[in-house]
Amino acid sequence: MAKVIIIGGGAAGMIAAYSAALTSKQVILLEKNEKLGKKIFITGKGRCNLTNASDMNIVMENVVSNKRFLFSAFKNFTNEDIMNLVENNGTKLKIERGNRVFPVSDHSSDIIKSLENAIRDLHVDIRLNTKVDELIIENDRCIGVAIGKNKIMADAVIVATGGMSYQATGSDGDGYRFAKEAGLSVSKLYPSLVPFNIEGERIKALQGLSLKNIHAYIYNDKKLVYDEFGEMLFTHFGVSGPVIISASAVIGNKNIKGYRLSIDLKPALDEEKLDERILRDFTEQKNKSLKNSLNKLFPAKLIDEVIFQSKLNPDKKVNLLTKEERHSLVHATKNLEYVISSTRGFNEAIITKGGVEVSQINPKTMESKKIKGLFFAGEVLDLDAFTGGYNLQIAWSTGYAAGEGAGNEQYSD
């Protein structure tokens, strides 16, 4: 039985501690913050989208980067496994739209409490307010960690420090530094599951406007690179909301300056049907100006923008609009366009795209192929997925695999 140190008390770290403690004589969990699970606390708007209850094949399909690497980890510790563990430790769960799993209480703190209960029951030594400065590596083997002038020796060390996202929770990139100092390659890091900045000032007038049942398309020149149906939100800097945040997972690691966002405000209607609908509305309000006759079709905040993009006179009476002008209105409704300037930064990103390159990691145990006894789990690895509980499942599965691998008796002297 091995003595195992885990650096980081987030999702991957806590589950790694649990897994390691099932077989290890001593497990020490080191967390730099004053409490465990600080990032879990704010996930899912404070409710914690624990996992996704879909078949694990569907969970796999929602992984964006290096999904094949996760085959073994996903098989070994599934969404059902994490749900059972949490429920068996006192937190009842519910499944919502899109198979998203939440605590019945809607309090993320209950998830943290359950995981903490599980690891305390296994006598994990939890040390808070403890920042690891460096790994101790000798003869291509990790044998402990240094905390200031103090050293803690171990048979195995698991790095579960998180990425660069939500830096206020302590995710400052330590894990990437540890990996580089150990001679491992780290791919370029990008903020992911993050809103977009939009060029120009007009977007500010739409701040706070939430749209449901729209279809968003993103183009690079004329090439369609992403499209999704759902909800979005206008902000003072650009656009956010589920369909936008998911888009960043696909295109956020590219130079997206100049990419175009096109929004179909009425995807349920083709152009002909939409024209008929507009004509019907105009017939009822034939003496009104264009700007005062679209309130049945659009939210008030959106009317000026649609007219602006239609290149029509907002004061023109609707009964004087030509068929061509009406078609311009239809086109703008089906293709409201914006130029993307960039993504927002790491502090608004839900996750980090990029990380420790998985070609250097054993997919069954999460151990470095180069440094014996050194393991990585969770967001520090070059693994990411769409929203919906999939990223936390990556943390649970890789964390469990790392704990199991590190706790294996072959690492003991």
Side-chain angles (χ1 to χ4, degrees), residues 124-246:
V124 171
D125 179 0
I126 301 168
R127 302 183 191 180
L128 302 174
N129 299 303
T130 305
K131 179 175 167 57
V132 173
D133 293 308
E134 60 183 342
L135 305 176
I136 302 170
I137 296 171
E138 290 181 6
N139 301 319
D140 291 335
R141 184 182 182 91
C142 189
I143 58 170
V145 300
I147 301 164
K149 293 179 180 177
N150 299 319
K151 293 180 179 179
I152 308 175
M153 310 312 284
D155 300 302
V157 174
I158 300 171
V159 176
T161 49
M164 294 282 284
S165 56
Y166 289 137
Q167 292 170 355
T169 64
S171 300
D172 59 5
D174 273 351
Y176 307 124
R177 177 172 61 81
F178 295 151
K180 288 175 182 175
E181 287 172 357
L184 278 71
S185 300
V186 175
S187 63
K188 193 169 179 184
L189 307 173
Y190 303 88
S192 190
L193 300 183
V194 66
F196 290 136
N197 291 312
I198 293 293
E199 284 185 7
E201 296 294 310
R202 290 191 59 84
I203 202 79
K204 291 180 180 177
L206 300 173
Q207 179 180 348
L209 176 62
S210 179
L211 299 177
K212 293 183 177 179
N213 304 320
I214 56 92
H215 203 122
Y217 301 85
I218 295 179
Y219 295 90
N220 176 16
D221 195 15
K222 292 181 180 177
K223 184 185 176 188
L224 178 67
V225 292
Y226 173 86
D227 75 288
E228 186 64 67
F229 174 85
E231 300 175 23
M232 66 167 287
L233 171 73
F234 288 98
T235 69
H236 66 286
F237 55 77
V239 286
S240 186
V243 298
I244 301 300
I245 281 169
S246 290

Side-chain angles (χ1 to χ4, degrees), residues 374-392:
L374 176 59
F375 297 75
F376 292 87
E379 196 180 340
V380 72
L381 291 164
D382 184 7
L383 300 165
D384 64 274
F386 293 117
T387 55
Y390 306 111
N391 286 289
L392 266 179

